[in-house]
Amino acid sequence: DTAVSQTPKYLVTQMGNDKSIKCEQNLGHDTMYWYKQDSKKFLKIMFSYNNKELIINETVPNRFSPKSPDKAHLNLHINSLELGDSAVYFCASSPEGVEQFFGPGTRLTVL
Amino acid sequence: RKEVEQDPGPFNVPEGATVAFNCTYSNSASQSFFWYRQDCRKEPKLLMSVYSSGNEDGRFTAQLNRASQYISLLIRDSKLSDSATYLCVVSRGGGKLIFGQGTELSVKP
């Protein structure tokens, strides 16, 4: 059974479009995260939710909006996609904010 | 300056070699320290936590020097399967992990 799953795995879209990435964890963890890994491989946190409540919101353009319908799901919606949004987006979850378990990643390409 | 800095790599070593990775962090308020491993086109996975007293897990030894704000990872008897990118990770608490840019290791036969 996949512990942290993301859909889609690959996403190719045009500039200006709006897209969503979904994340689900079946580990019973309270905290979930979104990270962005750019072409230089730097992994940077974007958002964190604890039990559906936003607790970390890094300096991310407000075109990015996370939504947590319940503690097992954390989705990421991106408006007006730009070329610079091309990256791999990882979802993660953790039981107490220490060890984090990552999903397989969503490779977003904006053309 | 990045908050967590690592050796740039890549490290190309023969099987059986011992290899050491270094990492420095700039924020003295950092509380927790980790090494994660990321295989090509895969997600990062926790390799080991790093404690002040130093800790070992099989062929892997991690050390932390809080005074120097320095973390290291030693891999003994390298295997082909150790080829990956090793990420130094620091936390100030609250679940926020700060990742280094990673050091790529390639173990050759």
Side-chain angles (χ1 to χ4, degrees), chain A residues 10 33 35 37 40-43 45 55-56 58 90 97-100 102-104 107, chain B residues 2 4 32 34 36 38 41-46 87 91 94-97 99-101:
Chain A
Y10 299 96
Y33 309 82
Y35 286 86
Q37 188 168 41
K40 293 183 179 165
K41 309 290 186 189
F42 266 105
L43 200 61
I45 191 165
I55 54 170
I56 296 174
E58 289 297 289
F90 287 100
V98 184
E99 179 179 359
Q100 295 185 15
F102 285 78
R107 192 168 294 272
Chain B
K2 299 287 181 195
V4 179
S32 307
F34 311 92
Y36 274 69
Q38 186 172 22
R41 301 181 78 86
K42 297 282 190 181
E43 71 272 22
K45 290 184 179 175
L46 180 67
L87 302 162
S91 172
K96 183 178 172 182
L97 299 184
F99 285 76
Q101 78 268 34

Side-chain angles (χ1 to χ4, degrees), chain B residues 24-75:
Chain B
T24 56
Y25 60 96
S26 60
N27 194 321
S28 58
S30 300
Q31 300 173 3
S32 307
F33 309 88
F34 311 92
W35 285 100
Y36 274 69
R37 169 191 168 133
Q38 186 172 22
D39 291 292
C40 188
R41 301 181 78 86
K42 297 282 190 181
E43 71 272 22
K45 290 184 179 175
L46 180 67
L47 179 66
M48 58 198 301
S49 300
V50 188
Y51 305 113
S52 297
S53 53
N55 48 300
E56 192 173 302
D57 183 2
R59 298 180 293 108
F60 298 82
T61 301
Q63 298 274 0
L64 166 65
N65 184 322
R66 284 188 186 266
S68 305
Q69 295 181 195
Y70 170 91
I71 307 161
S72 65
L73 177 68
L74 185 77
I75 306 176

Side-chain angles (χ1 to χ4, degrees), chain A residues 51-101:
Chain A
N51 214 355
K52 302 196 298 173
E53 187 179 331
L54 180 67
I55 54 170
I56 296 174
N57 184 349
E58 289 297 289
T59 310
V60 175
N62 57 15
R63 298 182 295 104
F64 289 79
S65 51
K67 284 195 170 51
S68 181
D70 55 62
K71 76 172 197 177
H73 295 85
L74 181 61
N75 304 323
L76 184 65
H77 188 77
I78 315 170
N79 288 329
S80 303
L81 278 154
E82 299 178 358
L83 294 176
D85 298 332
S86 295
V88 182
Y89 291 83
F90 287 100
C91 177
S93 75
S94 71
E96 299 158 6
V98 184
E99 179 179 359
Q100 295 185 15
F101 297 81

